[in-house]
Amino acid sequence: MISIMIVDDQRLLREGLQTILQSEEDLDIVGLCENGMQAVELASRQQPDVVLMDIKMPVMDGIEAMKRLKREHPSIVVLMLTTFAEDRFIIDAMAGGADGFLLKDMPSKKIVQTIHEAMSGAVMLPAPIASKLAAKLSVLSDSRADSFDEDKLKASGYSFTERERKIIMLMIDGYSNKQISSGLFMSEGTVRNYISVIYNKLGTSDRQAAVALLRKMLLEDSY
């Protein structure tokens, strides 16, 4: 049984989702909230498996609430509810740890399917959101990859391919393997392979140490 909380400031949408989901035998609605603050407080008590979180809400918005939930209860799967695909919300949500997005006009069967797939560990990105995220990450990685200081690279004795550079810059910006794979349209396994190669070149297997070294080597004095 998958326990679910629904968070949205529109009563009609909250109750509509509740009606759809509670008709499924393996889904259990354990709470309805109308703002992010209520969601954080109720999630601490109920410990749901999944939270469906609206983005724009009063008191505390969905992105801030999601960040607090992922910080305090990292095992909870948080799917952001949205009716639009704005770059700043996508990037903020994914960088904050969101497990994916649900479009509010999705067919009910697709919503149920998305919840199940998210529980299996997949990052859930509807096509319009995935294209926005990919475009944004591509711009970020392309422009940031150009900021590599070739002289510093040569002096340090390291050499990275263009694809490795894109991944490195997203790693430095704090993106997870899942987020990188979604944004660059690569499997998570392929991303892990690239990162393993990067680790080998740096002589470390620790992500924090690798990012610290790369940041110092490539970005120091470059901003």
Side-chain angles (χ1 to χ4, degrees):
M1 183 72 70
I2 300 173
S3 57
I4 300 172
M5 274 179 47
I6 301 171
V7 188
D8 197 289
D9 61 337
Q10 296 182 26
R11 180 177 179 180
L12 184 61
L13 191 135
R14 289 197 308 270
E15 295 182 352
L17 279 174
Q18 180 184 27
T19 299
I20 290 171
L21 299 178
Q22 69 184 5
S23 66
E24 299 291 319
E25 293 183 355
D26 61 344
L27 302 182
D28 180 30
I29 307 303
V30 297
L32 301 177
C33 302
E34 61 184 30
N35 62 63
M37 184 64 72
Q38 289 182 1
V40 171
E41 294 172 353
L42 185 59
S44 294
R45 297 196 301 270
Q46 295 285 8
Q47 293 293 310
D49 297 312
V50 179
V51 174
L52 307 184
M53 182 82 74
D54 188 23
I55 291 179
K56 300 182 71 174
M57 293 182 293
V59 184
M60 179 186 290
D61 66 50
I63 292 179
E64 179 59 30
M66 175 273 297
K67 290 178 179 178
R68 286 188 57 177
L69 284 179
K70 298 304 286 187
R71 206 164 47 236
E72 299 169 12
H73 311 284
S75 64
I76 294 177
V77 172
V78 183
L79 297 174
M80 309 305 293
L81 294 168
T82 185
T83 55
F84 44 81
E86 295 190 31
D87 293 354
R88 67 183 184 277
F89 292 137
I90 298 170
I91 296 297
D92 287 349
M94 294 303 290
D99 297 284
F101 288 78
L102 277 174
L103 295 176
K104 293 181 180 180
D105 59 356
M106 273 183 170
S108 57
K109 289 184 178 180
K110 183 63 176 177
I111 292 174
V112 172
Q113 177 186 346
T114 298
I115 290 172
H116 282 97
E117 291 178 356
M119 280 295 294
S120 71
V123 176
M124 304 313 301
L125 296 173
I129 300 251
S131 62
K132 285 278 189 178
L133 178 61
K136 187 67 174 179
L137 288 182
S138 178
V139 169
L140 284 173
S141 60
D142 285 343
S143 61
R144 294 289 304 284
D146 290 340
S147 72
F148 273 47
D149 190 318
E150 294 293 341
D151 291 335
K152 286 184 179 180
L153 279 176
K154 291 177 182 178
S156 301
Y158 297 109
S159 175
F160 299 104
T161 66
E162 180 180 354
R163 180 55 63 119
E164 289 166 356
R165 292 184 181 192
K166 289 184 177 183
I167 291 173
I168 283 171
M169 300 315 293
L170 294 174
M171 288 172 61
I172 289 174
D173 282 338
Y175 292 97
S176 68
N177 290 1
K178 283 185 179 182
Q179 292 164 352
I180 294 171
S181 68
S182 298
L184 299 182
F185 289 113
M186 302 163 61
S187 72
E188 193 173 349
T190 299
V191 171
R192 285 196 298 268
N193 289 339
Y194 271 108
I195 291 176
S196 292
V197 171
I198 293 167
Y199 285 167
N200 287 334
K201 290 183 177 181
L202 295 174
T204 182
S205 59
D206 180 81
R207 192 185 191 98
Q208 186 174 355
V211 168
L213 175 60
L214 290 163
R215 186 185 296 276
K216 180 178 181 181
M217 180 174 63
L218 302 172
L219 301 182
E220 194 174 74
D221 300 325
S222 65
Y223 289 108

